[in-house]
Structures are given as structure tokens and as C-alpha cells.
Amino acid sequence: MAAVGTVVRSRPPWIMESGCAASGCAVTRCTSPTAVRAPTAVRAPTAVRFGPVSARGCAASGGAAGPGPYARRVRIDLHTHSTASDGTDTPAELVRQAKAAGLDVVALTDHDTAAGWAEAAAALPAGLTLVPGTEFSCAWFGPNGVRIGLHLLGYLYDPDDAELQAERRRLRESRRGRGQAIVNNLRADGIPVTWERVAELAGDGTVGRPHIGQALVEAGVVDSLDEAFADLLSSRSKYYVRKADMDVFVALRLINAAGGVTAFAHPLARRRGPVVGDEVIADMAAAGLDGIEVDHPDHSFADRAHISDVAANLGLIPLGSSDYHGRNKAVRLGACTTSPEAYADLLARNTASSPIVFTT
Ligand code: AMP
Ligand code: ZN
Ligand code: FE
Ligand code: FE
């Protein structure tokens, strides 16, 4: 059975499964052996000691604890999707997969919903810590009508906060109407896809373009989701319809007010559309942004180096995450990871709840 973190509105207790307090590697291809001694019980953040982490996010050693009989690497993935939105693993399957993939900590961050949290918590395997989160659909509104869509991760916020709950509902409802509108546009050009099938594929989850992509693959229109996103479902396609977004500064305020911590997801994922400049990231930092994804599958190594510098200059916590979507994307759980030091920094911020650990 898993214990759901209670709403305490204070510095969270440092709760982690055995052996998680040590340096890790935030660079996907890094192979430096990060070793820790396990197990370690509940620890206070101030008691945690980490080895040096280089500017590129690679730790050379495990800090105070050297390799020993329990030595192993700590792996933290703070951005994943389940069937509560556009992933293909149910929340229960996702935590089991996370355990099988050797993760110590996984965040469930479905689009515009907290619906998967309870199922993931109930199925949490021993040795895995769950960080409940949400990936919020946001936009930055600049001068002269400029609007750039972006994604903001919110972790450990109070899911019952009424204002944020209403926003999540508004965003999800908009996604349904927008999904139908994209399907109508495709159908108007004779492309054989039905809203009924898309809705069936989405089930109770937040509707996203990957569901339409699955329907297009099933109908034989394209061979893969990548092919669908490269053309028919691209944000530059004539069939594309925008979804509703929260103003990113409103989102930062609401998530913070609900006791959450925030991170800017894949800030340089240009493949998806235009991205904001560094000055906007600075404004977001000034408005309370806590962290930023440095290591993400959609970032080149030059992007990672740049965002790493931006993060250091602005005092943002550098994160690494897979953005796993199950079979909807080729990326694996833990493909990019967050260092335990960055994770500790994130948890040291005030949060409404604590990460969830398996308890007996
Ligand atoms: P939406 O949120 O409906 O605008 O759809 C965007 C979602 O589709 C994001 O979660 C992306 O991670 C996902 N996505 C983008 N490109 C691809 C792709 N090539 N294959 C599968 N999913 C993708
Ligand atoms: Zn997605
Ligand atoms: Fe995203
Ligand atoms: Fe995502």
C-alpha cells in the first residue's frame, strides 16, 4: 500500500526509498559510474551530502559513500505520461515499468490532469518514489499579439485547490473540442478518421494529438505517429487547431499558490513550434519558476549546454527527464534523468505535499 503525502503546507519531509541520496548523472549518454551506499532511511535535506556535479550534469562519484556491496546508481525521471493523458501505460503499469527500468524516483505528469495520481500511488512498488505532477498547457503572450505555446510542469501541488482545478478542467474541455475540430478538418479533406475512434482511444484521459495519430495509423493513413506529426498533425499543418492555454504567468502564480513547485518543460523543443527567448525565461524565473528541463530528448547537446548556462545564471534548478509516452514515442523511461542534488533542491522548496513512497 502506498501512503499519499498529506497536505502540510510546510517544508516537506525528506522521504526517499533506500539508497537515493547521492550524485547522479543528468546527461543521457554519460556513463560515469555513480555509486552510493544503500539503504538510507528518511533523511532531512540538510543531512544529504552530494558529490560534485559538473556544469554538464555529470557526477564523478557518489559523494561520501563509495562503492560497496549495495553500490548502484540513483535514477530520477521527473516527466512521464500515462493513459490519464496521451501515454499508453496505465498509471499502475507506468510505476511498474519505472521500477523495472531501475528508476528510484518517477514523476507522473499527465497533460492538464491529476487523474492518474491515485492509481499510480496505489500500485507503487517498493523502492520507487512517486512525485505527483501535471504538465500544464500554457502560452507566453508577447507584444503585438505574439503568442508562443509552452509547457509548464507543476509538482506536489494541492490537487483540491479550486482555482487550479477549474483551470485543469477548462484546459481538458478545450482539448476535446479542439480534437474534434482537427478530426473535422481532416475528414473535410477525405482523410478517414472518426472522432468516435479518437474519443475511444483517449478514454477518460486528456485528449491529445497522439490519440488522433493512433487513429490515423489504425486507418492506414500513415505508418507511424512520427509520420503523422511530421505532416498532418504538425502545428504548421492546415488541419491544426490550437487548444486553450493558460497564460504562463497566471499558471506560475496558481501552481505556487496551490503549494506546488514548477519547471519549464523542454524550453528549446523547436521541432514542436516556436520557442521563447532567454529574456522570457528570466521573466518566468522572476515570477517564481523553480526549475527548467536541461536534459530532454528533444534538446540537442548544444541546447542542453545553453539551457544549463541559463539555469545557472537565473538560479533555476536544472532537471533531466524522458517525457516518456509509452508506445506513443520511442523514448524509454529514464532516457534522461535528474541529479539527486537537483531533486533535493526541488523538494527543499515549499510544497503542499510530499513525494509518495511505498509503505507497509
Ligand atoms: P497536444 O498536447 O495535443 O498538442 O499534442 C502534443 C503531444 O504530442 C505532446 O505531448 C508531444 O510529446 C506529443 N508528440 C509530439 N510529437 C510526437 C511524435 N512524433 N510522436 C508522438 N507524440 C508526439
Ligand atoms: Zn504528451
Ligand atoms: Fe510537453
Ligand atoms: Fe510531456
Side-chain angles (χ1 to χ4, degrees):
M1 194 188 83
V4 177
T6 48
V7 176
V8 290
R9 291 210 173 277
S10 64
R11 193 182 176 92
W14 177 255
I15 301 177
M16 215 179 222
E17 281 301 298
S18 57
C20 295
S23 298
C25 174
V27 175
T28 315
R29 293 197 305 220
C30 174
T31 54
S32 73
T34 300
V36 308
R37 192 195 307 278
T40 306
V42 173
R43 304 179 73 157
T46 48
V48 178
R49 293 286 179 269
F50 299 105
V53 177
S54 78
R56 301 295 289 275
C58 271
S61 83
Y70 303 103
R72 64 180 177 78
R73 293 180 60 194
V74 174
R75 306 187 69 223
I76 301 167
D77 187 343
L78 294 179
H79 182 165
T80 72
H81 297 267
S82 73
T83 51
S85 63
D86 55 6
T88 58
D89 294 350
T90 64
E93 285 164 354
L94 189 138
V95 290
R96 285 195 285 269
Q97 291 293 333
K99 174 73 180 172
L103 293 179
D104 299 282
V105 180
V106 69
L108 179 64
T109 53
D110 279 303
H111 296 283
D112 305 317
T113 187
W117 294 5
E119 183 186 320
L124 199 61
L128 183 69
T129 295
L130 173 69
V131 179
T134 295
E135 185 172 17
F136 289 92
S137 303
C138 297
W140 173 72
F141 297 91
N144 306 318
V146 171
R147 178 202 160 283
I148 296 180
L150 58 90
H151 288 172
L152 191 66
L153 293 157
Y155 301 108
L156 297 166
Y157 65 84
D158 175 3
D160 296 325
D161 179 272
E163 226 180 325
L164 200 50
Q165 201 172 36
E167 277 300 299
R168 291 197 301 279
R169 190 175 306 116
R170 179 180 75 84
L171 295 171
R172 288 197 304 273
E173 281 169 4
S174 144
R175 279 171 164 279
R176 286 195 87 77
R178 174 262 204 157
Q180 276 173 290
I182 293 177
V183 167
N184 287 343
N185 289 347
L186 292 163
R187 289 179 64 80
D189 255 5
I191 298 168
V193 59
T194 68
W195 169 247
E196 287 67 30
R197 183 59 188 144
V198 172
E200 202 169 41
L201 287 165
D204 293 333
T206 307
V207 177
R209 278 180 284 166
H211 298 120
I212 304 173
Q214 286 176 330
L216 287 167
V217 172
E218 278 182 5
V221 177
V222 290
D223 288 334
S224 67
L225 280 191
D226 274 348
E227 192 184 330
F229 269 90
D231 181 13
L232 299 176
L233 295 180
S234 156
S235 60
R236 295 160 179 113
S237 154
K238 66 174 178 172
Y239 306 114
Y240 181 76
V241 178
R242 253 177 21 205
K243 54 187 165 37
D245 299 303
M246 247 199 292
D247 181 305
V248 65
F249 296 107
V250 173
L252 285 166
R253 179 172 57 76
L254 291 184
I255 298 167
N256 281 325
V261 286
T262 53
F264 188 176
H266 46 72
L268 291 183
R270 295 184 201 83
R271 203 164 52 103
R272 302 170 184 221
V275 298
V276 298
D278 293 351
E279 67 289 351
V280 174
I281 301 177
D283 288 346
M284 289 166 66
L289 180 69
D290 297 292
I292 190 163
E293 284 184 344
V294 171
D295 292 321
H296 183 281
D298 288 1
H299 286 175
S300 68
F301 278 83
D303 290 339
R304 297 176 197 207
H306 177 73
I307 290 296
S308 181
D309 287 347
V310 170
N313 289 337
L314 295 173
L316 295 171
I317 301 167
L319 306 181
S321 303
S322 67
D323 203 352
Y324 173 78
H325 279 69
R327 291 185 308 281
N328 275 348
K329 275 190 177 178
V331 69
R332 294 178 181 200
L333 279 162
C336 293
T337 52
T338 292
S339 75
E341 185 182 59
Y343 179 60
D345 285 348
L346 207 62
L347 294 191
R349 309 280 163 117
N350 279 347
T351 53
S353 60
S354 304
I356 299 164
V357 291
F358 177 92
T359 54
T360 50

